[in-house]
Each structure stands twice: as structure tokens, then as C-alpha cells.
Amino acid sequence: MTTLIKDGFLLNPADWNKDIAKKLAEYDGINFLTDQHWKVIFYIRDYYNDFQSVPPVFKICSATGLTTMEICSLFSKDTIRSACRIAGLPRTTKNFINFNVRGFGV
């Protein structure tokens, strides 16, 4: 059984898999994860595994070929928080410091 904490983040990020990602997306009102969603999700996961922090938006854009506006349209009102939640990242304050996309963020 997967347990969520505040804001719908996983209690244990090691529990993450694609099926859980789909359920977390539903939490944010996203009924279907497209190839573009997965590009962002896997890039964020890989970056986090390498650097233990959320990648800057410009790196996500560069790596995925998506614009900031396209990324904003893929995820919910809390664009990056939503993407990180769906990607199974842990909820830590340092992940979201200085991270603001078009008025979204903490």
C-alpha cells in the first residue's frame, strides 16, 4: 500500500512506479499522461537522482524540447510541484525554493 503525505506526495519515494504516477496525476486532475508528460517526469526524476534537487525550468525545457508555456499547460495549477509529485520526488522545502514558473510555485 502506498501512503501519501501533505499535498499528495509519497511518504516513501522508493514506492514510485508508472502506475503510482498515473494515480498521482489523477490527484492533480490529469486523467491521462502523454508522452510529453513522461518526458518531463523522467527528466525530473533523473535530474533529482543526480543532484538531489529539482531542475531549473530552462533545463527541463532544454532536455524535453518543450516551452515553459507547454510545461505549464501539461501540469496543474502548481506546475512544478505537480510534476515533482507525479515524478515521485520527496516533498522537501529545498526542492521548491526559488522555483517559480509564471506565478506558480511556493
Side-chain angles (χ1 to χ4, degrees), residues 15-89:
D15 290 343
W16 187 90
N17 61 45
K18 286 178 106 177
D19 289 330
I20 288 173
K22 292 172 187 175
K23 294 214 180 288
L24 293 170
E26 289 173 7
Y27 177 91
D28 283 354
I30 301 167
N31 297 320
F32 180 75
L33 292 172
T34 65
D35 289 343
Q36 291 179 327
H37 285 102
W38 289 115
K39 275 190 208 178
V40 173
I41 290 165
F42 284 119
Y43 179 74
I44 288 172
R45 286 184 61 76
D46 290 345
Y47 189 95
Y48 187 85
N49 286 334
D50 290 344
F51 302 104
Q52 287 69 54
S53 68
V54 175
V57 174
F58 77 89
K59 288 193 179 234
I60 298 171
C61 292
S62 178
T64 63
L66 299 169
T67 66
T68 302
M69 295 303 288
E70 289 170 322
I71 292 169
C72 287
S73 71
L74 288 174
F75 296 93
S76 74
K77 61 187 178 294
D78 293 333
T79 302
I80 299 306
R81 185 180 300 264
S82 174
C84 290
R85 179 178 25 251
I86 295 167
L89 270 57

